[in-house]
Amino acid sequence: MEKVTKGHVFAIGEMSRRTGVNIETVRYYEKIGLMPKPNRSEGGNRLYNDVQLQRLYFIKRCREIGFSQSEIRALLSMVDHDNITCAEVYSVTTAHIADVRQKIKDLRKLEKVLSQMANECSRGDVPECPIIEALFE
């Protein structure tokens, strides 16, 4: 992450370059309200500030560790209203951990089923395929 200094103005391309977030994704985050609508130049181009750049870094990092949009929205709401407490962040985080653990459990089940299907495959030149048959069941 690049160091952010105060008082800069960034075009959307610069925001994208600095954060690694695709330009269309930045626009999407604005559309769904995770990012505030930026000021506009006389020509209509988006103009972002240092605070918005930091927010985009925050959103990106949250997405990288699997927080959902609603979880990110909850965290940002706490930050935006200056009523953030460690206990509230802990609550959102532990709920996310439970979701991650459930996904891991589900992926292990999926791996087992797929492995069983693959093990039944003869890998031959016959037209019958147990994998396809299992998918039709």
Side-chain angles (χ1 to χ4, degrees):
M1 181 168 99
E2 291 186 31
K3 185 174 180 174
V4 177
T5 55
K6 301 292 177 201
H8 290 92
V9 176
F10 308 99
I12 195 167
E14 182 67 10
M15 290 278 286
S16 176
R17 186 191 69 73
R18 285 178 177 242
T19 62
V21 175
N22 184 287
I23 290 172
E24 290 304 316
T25 304
V26 177
R27 289 182 184 131
Y28 174 71
Y29 289 158
E30 289 172 23
K31 181 179 176 183
I32 64 171
L34 289 180
M35 286 290 294
K37 300 284 184 202
N39 290 330
R40 299 277 184 150
S41 69
E42 288 183 20
N45 295 320
R46 290 171 168 85
L47 299 174
Y48 300 91
N49 61 33
D50 296 310
V51 173
Q52 291 163 315
L53 179 63
Q54 281 299 133
R55 187 179 187 97
L56 187 56
Y57 276 128
F58 179 88
I59 294 167
K60 179 186 179 191
R61 183 66 183 129
C62 286
R63 293 299 296 151
E64 287 173 344
I65 59 176
F67 280 106
S68 69
Q69 288 179 11
S70 63
E71 290 167 329
I72 296 169
R73 190 177 309 283
L75 291 170
L76 287 171
S77 176
M78 289 180 231
V79 171
D80 291 345
H81 295 101
D82 290 328
N83 64 349
I84 193 168
T85 68
C86 193
E88 291 170 317
V89 174
Y90 176 83
S91 177
V92 172
T93 303
T94 55
H96 181 61
I97 291 168
D99 290 343
V100 168
R101 287 182 177 146
Q102 183 61 50
K103 287 176 186 175
I104 290 169
K105 188 176 175 182
D106 292 343
L107 286 170
R108 286 188 178 127
K109 286 180 189 177
L110 177 60
E111 177 188 28
K112 183 178 178 181
V113 169
L114 289 171
S115 293
Q116 288 171 345
M117 287 171 40
N119 288 335
E120 292 177 16
C121 184
S122 65
R123 297 179 270 303
D125 293 332
V126 295
E128 297 84 24
C129 176
I131 295 174
I132 295 296
E133 289 173 15
L135 293 172
F136 271 108
E137 290 178 358

